[in-house]
Amino acid sequence: MLRGTKVGLRARFEEDVPVLHEELYNDIPTRSRTDSRPWRPVAPGAPDSPFTVSGPDERFVPFSVVMLDSGELAGSALLWGIDNHNRTAHLGMALRPSFRGKGLGADLVRVLCEYGFSVRGMNRLQLETLSDNEGMRGAAASAGFTHEGTLRGAAWVCGSFLDEVVYGLLVTDWAKARETGPGATA
């Protein structure tokens, strides 16, 4: 398991799928804000459920997020769009409703960075979020990400076009942020 200060990332277990599917996928307004694909009804055990893990895929690595103090399932996280040639990837995450607003996002982003940079050897990580998602924007900034741009009207969310913001982090900047940020040993 990869560990932060509050959360850990582990493999997705079969018993995680129905919980994540019900609380994250079937929450249509929230799901519509976190995925660019339109929501459609999908059964939790279906092969095309976004939380079903079918086997290794070099372009997509899903995790279950767990609380370190209790082991309780807190959400889902992933590296996606992994490009091993250019050593780039995107990161994403979603917390179950009862775990939102507890300051877990920044820790979770840092653990995903640890995986992407230290384990996978990426040079660049990127995340995209809606411009009004202050929690994710704050988590990105606290992990050292740079706001690289705004894609105006790029996201169709429940009947409206919203702006999307792009953040990027290079391994060299991440190493510097680790030396001076939370949990630094310098």
Side-chain angles (χ1 to χ4, degrees):
M1 177 184 316
L2 296 166
R3 296 174 183 275
T5 56
K6 299 177 185 178
V7 298
L9 298 177
R10 65 159 168 75
R12 175 92 29 87
F13 296 156
E14 198 62 39
E15 59 268 20
D16 299 341
V17 174
V19 175
L20 295 173
H21 193 90
E22 180 58 33
E23 292 190 30
L24 299 178
Y25 187 78
N26 284 336
D27 175 358
I28 299 167
T30 300
R31 182 67 184 187
S32 296
R33 293 178 56 80
T34 62
D35 194 322
S36 62
R37 297 168 293 186
W39 183 89
R40 61 186 178 81
V42 175
D48 56 349
S49 167
F51 300 105
T52 300
V53 179
S54 58
D57 183 337
E58 282 299 310
R59 297 163 294 142
F60 174 83
V61 180
F63 296 99
S64 285
V65 179
V66 295
M67 297 299 297
L68 291 177
D69 59 358
S70 67
E72 190 174 3
L73 179 66
S76 173
L78 68 150
L79 249 60
W80 62 276
I82 298 170
D83 178 341
N84 287 317
H85 175 73
N86 292 304
R87 295 175 44 199
T88 63
H90 300 257
L91 61 88
M93 57 188 240
L95 293 171
R96 295 172 58 199
S98 61
F99 292 91
R100 295 177 194 153
K102 298 183 184 241
L104 303 178
D107 190 39
L108 179 48
V109 169
R110 284 191 288 276
V111 179
L112 283 167
C113 289
E114 179 72 27
Y115 176 74
F117 292 129
S118 295
V119 176
R120 295 299 297 254
M122 295 290 116
N123 180 59
R124 173 186 165 80
L125 293 177
Q126 180 173 313
L127 65 86
E128 302 84 11
T129 191
L130 296 176
S131 62
D132 65 354
N133 187 344
E134 295 300 326
M136 188 62 176
R137 293 182 75 168
S142 77
F145 279 78
T146 299
H147 176 231
E148 296 181 334
T150 299
L151 306 173
R152 296 178 308 133
W156 177 252
V157 179
C158 296
S160 298
F161 285 105
L162 301 176
D163 293 348
E164 189 173 65
V165 290
V166 178
Y167 286 85
L169 180 62
L170 299 178
V171 68
T172 51
D173 297 330
W174 174 74
K176 289 177 198 169
R178 284 181 78 200
E179 291 173 7
T180 60
T185 57

